[in-house]
Amino acid sequence: MSYRTLFVRAGLGKFRYFTVDNFYTFRKKNTSKFGSCTCQKRVTSTNSAIRSVRVGTKIRMSGGSRLDHVYRSMLMTKFFTKGWGKPENLKRLFLFKEKMTNREACYSLVPSDYPVTISKEENYSDCRIMEGHFLSPFVTHLPGIVPVESETAYFQIVLPKKWNSNHYKPICLHLAGTGDHGFWRRRQMMAKPLLKGGIASIILENPFYGLRKPKDQIRSSLHNVSDILVMGGCLILESLVLFHWCESNGLGPLGVTGMSMGGHMASLAATNWPKPIVLVPCLSWSSATPVFTQGVMSHSINWDLLCSQYFAEDVYREEITKLVRVDKDAFRAGQYFAKHFPQSMDHIHRLSREEHELSKQKEFCRASQLNPKSVTTEGHSDNSNFNQQTNESSPSNCQAVISSCNASGASNYEVYNPSSNRTLRSKLEVLAAESKLENVKESVSRWREGEALLFMHGIMDECTNLQNFSVPVDTSLIIAICARNDAYVPREGCADLTDIWPEAEVRILDAGHISAYLLHKHAFREAIIESFQRLKRKYIDTSPEKQMN
């Protein structure tokens, strides 16, 4: 969808042609909808370092920009349309995660002479553009988990016609945000304008996007939850490949940036580079968890499908139930499941052996429907258990309640009620009992949905929270730019970036996610240029013993 179409639908239809001036005119009349869009930054000087001061103890939160909600509601893109992904793939990802979160281990996965092919080079009046490709290292370390179309990484390099210095050739890697397919948008809006500041750019195509999009994927609709983890793993290792290539070709110092999802991926990539690096994450925060569980994008997820898959296998449901009993919190259960995956799988295997007993109970329910009279004789103890479970209606007894309800559905037989020592012979009384059980079913359904949501919260937090990754070598080179009224990337409940990276600077735009993206790219470019200047002053213009290796 074009930006012009977006604003026509948002209320700019009276303008024949969409321009930024038209948007400003519209915004003045609708400030309550879109909010002001001025950059507000509070800084203080601490010796030679400059860092942001948070407003109070936490950045002020709001309900989010209305434009963000309107824009998201107009998009057709849905996420995780096929569910969680294959269990065996999740297992391999969780095991490999331990290497990705440790800088030394991750850095060793990509050799400095990793093969890269330059396939095209063209000269233009204002720049030189090179294109290349290489096999994603993620494919080597986790074969079979990346779609065939995404295995080859494609990139484009935008270089100046002539460098100002032979010793200072800054270059910045740009990672794509959600829905940013191809190179054009980042090249025109970020890379070429940065050439005026003497900074070259590398534009990397995301896995599952553009040239790397699987054939059966529609637009940006990732099929599985596991795909977002695969994307992150690929981009981390592919960024290391490009960093090595730049250094071997005399380009540097290095930087990495991105918007929205690309900003978070840039943060993950920077944590695994063992040298000072410029990092400018735009419109992202310390974890991707709230994006999928709280922000407007969470409405584009088929939670019914995820819930049904989550509870489809008895062994997984029982495993999570046991973890919840221990931790009293499904969120902590999800974290525990991801963090200690091999051990938790051992529990699942033990539960598989217990499944035989559950199948016996189900066989009894089926037999009772075929032979109703047996319920009043052989089924006394089971009906007693059924009555007790109905009264308690606890989540741990959900399956027994529902199974008993289904068994009682064969309604032309006698049901024994031990609490009153009498036999219910009336169908009306049976239906009344079933009506009570329907209320139990409804509460169980709500519990199941909440359980799946919180479990996803725990797994995503374990795999994307920056607290779980190494701290970049020099956090004073980090300038993060956020939107105050961002409805896509909520910050409430997440760790503050300045707590994780103490010397990092956080700048707040008085805008929403969409309006910041459309109207404040100059702020993103200025932050990149400023961060490179900091690096130059600190490592290039100083004494030789302080220069970078």
Side-chain angles (χ1 to χ4, degrees), residues 220-237:
S220 308
S221 302
L222 298 184
H223 289 161
N224 305 298
V225 174
S226 60
D227 291 344
I228 195 71
L229 306 181
V230 172
M231 179 186 289
C234 286
L235 290 174
I236 290 174
L237 298 185

Side-chain angles (χ1 to χ4, degrees), residues 182-329:
F183 305 124
W184 182 88
R185 192 178 303 174
R186 283 171 286 168
R187 183 178 66 243
Q188 296 300 120
M189 299 181 181
M190 295 295 292
K192 284 192 174 181
L194 282 175
L195 288 175
K196 298 178 182 178
I199 299 173
S201 297
I202 300 182
I203 307 169
L204 176 62
E205 183 83 275
N206 270 19
F208 301 94
Y209 282 9
L211 296 171
R212 308 178 70 180
K213 185 174 74 69
K215 294 180 180 179
D216 59 343
Q217 177 181 304
I218 301 175
R219 295 184 294 275
S220 308
S221 302
L222 298 184
H223 289 161
N224 305 298
V225 174
S226 60
D227 291 344
I228 195 71
L229 306 181
V230 172
M231 179 186 289
C234 286
L235 290 174
I236 290 174
L237 298 185
E238 291 163 14
S239 296
L240 294 179
V241 172
L242 293 173
F243 292 156
H244 282 307
W245 184 88
C246 288
E247 287 194 335
S248 64
N249 285 271
L251 300 174
L254 305 174
V256 59
T257 186
M259 299 182 197
S260 191
M261 179 183 70
H264 193 76
M265 296 299 182
S267 297
L268 297 179
T271 63
N272 288 305
W273 185 247
K275 302 176 184 180
I277 185 171
V278 165
L279 172 59
V280 182
C282 304
L283 307 180
S284 65
W285 198 233
S286 61
S287 175
T289 303
V291 174
F292 298 105
T293 59
Q294 302 174 34
V296 293
M297 284 181 63
S298 64
H299 304 302
S300 301
I301 297 175
N302 189 341
W303 290 104
D304 291 336
L305 174 62
L306 293 179
C307 182
S308 62
Q309 287 189 4
Y310 180 73
F311 286 96
E313 296 291 336
D314 291 341
V315 291
Y316 285 99
R317 185 178 63 255
E318 292 295 327
E319 166 66 9
I320 301 306
T321 301
K322 288 187 176 181
L323 288 175
V324 171
R325 286 177 182 174
V326 173
D327 294 329
K328 306 300 182 184
D329 193 315

Side-chain angles (χ1 to χ4, degrees), residues 308-322 347-362 366 398-400 403 448:
S308 62
Q309 287 189 4
Y310 180 73
F311 286 96
E313 296 291 336
D314 291 341
V315 291
Y316 285 99
R317 185 178 63 255
E318 292 295 327
E319 166 66 9
I320 301 306
T321 301
K322 288 187 176 181
H347 292 304
I348 290 179
H349 293 323
R350 286 198 295 271
L351 286 168
S352 298
R353 294 192 292 269
E354 298 174 7
E355 197 173 14
H356 181 64
E357 297 181 5
L358 294 176
S359 63
K360 284 185 177 180
Q361 296 179 8
K362 292 180 180 179
R366 295 191 186 99
C398 295
Q399 289 303 307
S403 298
R448 285 156 59 99

Side-chain angles (χ1 to χ4, degrees), residues 453-470:
L453 172 65
L454 291 175
F455 181 72
M456 177 161 178
H457 190 293
I459 290 179
M460 291 294 293
D461 197 68
E462 187 67 31
C463 297
T464 67
N465 195 317
L466 295 178
Q467 291 177 303
N468 299 327
F469 290 78
S470 302

